[in-house]
């Protein structure tokens, strides 16, 4: 969150020409603990028009090097989704990194995604982000749409253990008029026996969104906490 806040401050300076609007919630694990799995599903809203709508769940590391995210992208006028790691690798075309010039997700291109799939309005997308081990940091990504289509990817991110699970609506020069962005069956696993990060969470960035959610449920086993949120909905701008 701190990183995102400073990112936004930077973007206000750098990206002033573009009207960027953020709505997001974040579950942040306690210091020294990391996320090993983030899964769930969400419903693709009805896309109002071709415009820069980015809707996504994602994981962010404590070192703030980027975001591992399946991004539902509305620019073409049809939703597309693919997984990406944005933007730690300066050789990638979308820029020099989160605190470099230009914004990150803004520049993800469909061709850079891992096997993007088309998603029709109203379809449910299931997403999975799972690491083989926190130390090794090789993430396996899965996507499937109730309308058909699936994709998998592999992202070796060994130096970027993830501590933030995010659900975001990111908009450029367009307003949130598409109705709710609804997640269900969200499960976050982290290697901590603390549970408050789950049961007290998530934080709601600037309280910009009206958020409706079921009470997160934490179960502890084997040194890990599994945080289950049956329903969490970004309802509308606050
Ligand atoms: C979580 O896993 C990482 C990587 O193995 C380890 O460094 C860290 O100490 C673990 N944290 C807890 C709270 O077990
Ligand atoms: C921002 O970039 C500088 C210079 O490359 C780097 O030293 C610093 O760690 C970066 N900060 C973040 C938050 O990524
Ligand atoms: C990390 O995991 C990948 C995938 O299983 C494996 O190929 C690689 O050798 C592992 N790296 C280390 C340092 O264990």
């Amino acid at each position: 969150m701190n990183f995102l806040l400073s990112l936004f401050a930077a973007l206000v300076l750098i990206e002033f020409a573009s009207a960027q609007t953020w709505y997001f919630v974040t579950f942040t694990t306690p210091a020294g603990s990391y996320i090993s799995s983030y899964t769930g599903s969400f419903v693709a809203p009805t896309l109002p028009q071709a415009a820069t709508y980015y809707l996504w769940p994602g994981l962010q590391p404590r070192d703030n090097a980027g975001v591992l995210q399946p991004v539902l992208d509305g620019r073409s006028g049809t939703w597309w989704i693919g997984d990406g790691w944005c933007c730690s690798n300066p050789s990638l075309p979308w820029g020099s990194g989160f605190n470099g010039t230009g914004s990150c997700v803004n520049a993800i291109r469909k061709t850079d995604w891992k096997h993007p799939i088309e998603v029709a309005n109203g379809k449910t997308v299931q997403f999975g982000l799972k690491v083989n081990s926190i130390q090794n940091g090789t993430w396996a990504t899965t996507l499937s749409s109730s309308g058909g289509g699936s994709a998998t990817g592999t992202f070796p991110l060994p130096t970027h253990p993830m501590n933030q699970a995010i659900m975001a609506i990111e908009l450029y020069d367009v307003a949130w008029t598409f109705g709710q962005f609804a997640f269900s069956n969200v499960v976050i696993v982290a290697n901590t026996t603390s549970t408050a990060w789950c049961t007290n969470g998530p934080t709601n960035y600037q309280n910009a969104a009206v958020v409706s959610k079921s009470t997160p449920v934490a179960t502890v086993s084997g040194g890990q906490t599994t945080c289950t949120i049956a329903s969490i909905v970004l309802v509308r701008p606050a």
Side-chain angles (χ1 to χ4, degrees):
M1 177 60 78
N2 289 339
F3 162 66
L4 279 168
L5 289 173
S6 45
L7 165 67
F8 299 144
L11 287 177
V12 165
L13 297 174
I14 295 165
E15 298 259 319
F16 52 86
S18 170
Q20 182 187 24
T21 318
W22 286 90
Y23 307 90
F24 65 88
V25 298
T26 308
F27 289 90
T28 304
T29 62
S33 64
Y34 301 98
I35 294 163
S36 57
S37 176
Y38 181 24
T39 60
S41 61
F42 56 82
V43 176
T46 296
L47 182 61
Q49 58 180 313
T52 307
Y53 300 91
Y54 296 126
L55 277 56
W56 48 272
L59 288 173
Q60 184 164 293
R62 198 177 297 283
D63 68 7
N64 298 327
V67 176
L68 179 63
Q69 49 181 189
V71 180
L72 197 58
D73 179 333
R75 285 175 298 168
S76 74
T78 303
W79 292 117
W80 285 82
I81 193 165
D83 278 287
W85 163 248
C86 185
C87 309
S88 70
N89 184 342
S91 70
L92 293 174
W94 53 70
S96 57
F98 253 133
N99 70 350
T101 57
S103 71
C104 165
V105 178
N106 190 27
I108 283 185
R109 300 170 192 170
K110 280 205 299 254
T111 51
D112 302 321
W113 291 351
K114 298 264 182 178
H115 314 302
I117 57 173
E118 191 170 354
V119 178
N121 293 334
K123 296 301 181 189
T124 299
V125 174
Q126 291 195 312
F127 70 94
L129 304 169
K130 296 186 180 189
V131 77
N132 62 345
S133 79
I134 290 166
Q135 277 181 321
N136 179 287
T138 302
W139 289 85
T141 64
T142 55
L143 283 171
S144 63
S145 167
S146 64
S150 63
T152 59
T154 304
F155 294 83
L157 303 171
T159 58
H160 302 295
M162 304 292 181
N163 73 320
Q164 297 154 69
I166 301 165
M167 299 164 205
I169 293 172
E170 179 183 358
L171 306 173
Y172 295 84
D173 300 313
V174 70
W176 179 1
T177 60
F178 49 78
Q180 68 181 25
F181 184 32
F183 286 78
S184 56
N185 302 317
V186 173
V187 180
I188 307 162
V189 181
N191 70 336
T192 175
T193 55
S194 301
T195 56
W197 67 274
C198 169
T199 54
N200 293 349
T203 56
N204 179 352
Y205 170 67
Q206 292 190 347
N207 290 315
V210 173
V211 175
S212 169
K213 68 176 194 311
S214 58
T215 303
V217 176
T219 57
V220 180
S221 174
Q224 299 196 119
T225 295
T226 299
C227 181
T228 303
I229 310 103
S231 169
I232 180 162
V233 182
L234 281 69
V235 179
R236 56 182 159 77

